[in-house]
Amino acid sequence: MREAIHPSYGPVVFRDRAADYAFLTRSTMTSEKTIEWEDGHTYPVVDVEISDVSHPFYTGTARVLDTAGRVERFERRYGKKG
């Protein structure tokens, strides 16, 4: 590999503000803000809008649409053409 063309890859804390949840991982993202982690070290922190803790799909609060019922209701309301 060529030298000095790849971004630095290091530990970063991603913080989900909506769920008050944070996790430490490795990434090429950086930030000017830092946070002291549970291990006593200071890491850059990246605030995210949504994570697996607050996303409706992962939490089980996602709405399931009844498409068959919608079609039947539309046909009742406006009648079948044909």
Side-chain angles (χ1 to χ4, degrees):
M1 284 193 331
R2 293 189 299 178
E3 295 288 327
I5 64 167
H6 300 285
S8 61
Y9 183 73
V12 177
V13 174
F14 286 92
R15 180 171 49 189
D16 182 356
R17 295 296 224 161
D20 194 29
Y21 174 74
F23 58 94
L24 176 66
T25 187
R26 296 180 58 86
S27 177
T28 57
M29 292 184 73
T30 83
S31 175
E32 296 295 322
K33 295 187 279 185
T34 60
I35 190 171
E36 186 172 335
W37 193 243
E38 300 158 354
D39 61 2
H41 291 92
T42 302
Y43 299 108
V45 63
V46 176
D47 290 326
V48 294
E49 296 290 324
I50 199 161
S51 70
D52 63 329
V53 175
S54 61
H55 193 280
F57 179 78
Y58 294 108
T59 59
T61 58
R63 290 182 17 190
V64 177
L65 296 177
D66 179 22
T67 56
R70 290 177 137 194
V71 171
E72 290 168 359
R73 191 172 18 175
F74 177 83
E75 288 175 349
R76 271 194 316 245
R77 187 177 295 162
Y78 299 107
K80 288 186 179 181
K81 293 195 177 192

